[in-house]
Amino acid sequence: MDLLDNTVRPYAWGSTTAIPTLLGTEPTGEPQAEMWMGAHPGAPSRTGRGTLAEVIDADPEKELGTASAAKFGPRLPFLLKLLAAGAPLSLQVHPDLAQAKAGYEDEERRGVPLDAPHRNYKDANHKPELICALTEFDGLCGFRAPAETADLLDGLGIASLKPYVDLLRAHPEDAALREVLTAILTADPEEMSRTVTETAAACDRLGGAYAPYAGIAHHYPGDPGVLAALLLNHVRLQPGEALFLGAGIPHAYLDGLGVEIMANSDNVLRCGLTPKHVDVPELLRIVRFEAGDPGILRPEASPDGEEVYDTPIDEFRLSRYVLPEGSGVHDLTLPTPQILLCTAGTVRAGEHELAPGRSVFVPAGEKAGVSGAGTLFRATVLV
């Protein structure tokens, strides 16, 4: 097992206190948004044998196992994170695998630099993801039913929102959502800024169901993404609950600390709540214009105490163990690569004692005995 030394990313939306509190360190006053655990080239975890990317590159079959290397190639197919949102992240969607491959090949063929601000596809992979709350966690996920959104917007009493209300009530569901999102993202910027300002004031005044959107508007005044956010379901996760975000589902995280796992990709198409590039035509091609319940996930317990968050993809599998005092040694050995992350208490993994926020990489087939009293998340793959 390799004890991991992980990079914390200081994105502006990050909480200044959540990750330091978990780690038991003093806050620096700067945002600490994400702690990355894995072999992503942007910030690979460090081990006593070099970076995790270097360790895997040196002998992929040994570190990943024959089956994982054959199915996903000579790389760790997931990235595990601690994510601490102190402000809303950008409203975004991710492509499916076919869309990502086609988009990446197109931008490569056109010679768009990988670091260009208008580049959409940084790789040819999809980016399904799962967020599991460690604290109460707020987010937006998927479209609300158009009729319900029409009622919500109508309740604000703002004349410039009436065309959107009428569209939401007059069309079939997919057409209504497409037309309204298109109208929001292509409106005259000055007119939209005025509408968003009025909307923010009304949301602030009315509170209740409008309160989350007032908070978003506070962070992004005048941004059309505020109106786009009003089309989406607001979700509040309790600790241990999770959301799975598949391709084409618009979403944003608003506030809270969680464990996030995703396929190893950087492909993001933004809808708003960001100063970054918004490619409206490509976004509209990727978004799935379907309303529905966000589908809060709760873990399914197995007889050995593993609690699994069931998702429909193979690049990652997230589960957790809540280990009571005196429960003995649990054998977590697998023929696939694993990252084990402690989030509460103290857990011994092999020769390493893990306090909250500490993690280890377990090569495929490596003996993985764990004990102690605490909460341990396990990230691996399905082969």
Side-chain angles (χ1 to χ4, degrees), residues 37-84:
M37 291 158 278
H40 191 285
S45 299
R46 297 167 293 277
T47 78
R49 298 187 284 159
T51 70
L52 188 55
E54 292 167 343
V55 168
I56 292 171
D57 286 346
D59 196 342
E61 286 208 8
K62 178 179 182 295
E63 302 297 333
L64 303 175
T66 303
S68 180
K71 185 169 184 176
F72 302 112
R75 61 186 181 86
L76 190 67
F78 63 82
L79 176 63
L80 185 66
K81 300 179 179 179
L82 281 173
L83 183 146

Side-chain angles (χ1 to χ4, degrees), residues 227-243:
L227 291 192
L230 277 158
L231 303 177
L232 306 186
N233 297 294
H234 172 247
V235 183
R236 177 164 290 166
L237 301 177
Q238 298 304 313
E241 295 180 336
L243 282 176

Side-chain angles (χ1 to χ4, degrees), residues 1 329-333 340 348-351 366-371:
M1 274 187 217
V329 177
H330 298 254
D331 184 6
L332 272 56
T333 307
L340 306 178
R348 189 163 191 84
E351 63 183 16
E366 187 77 19
K367 183 71 174 175
V370 302
S371 60

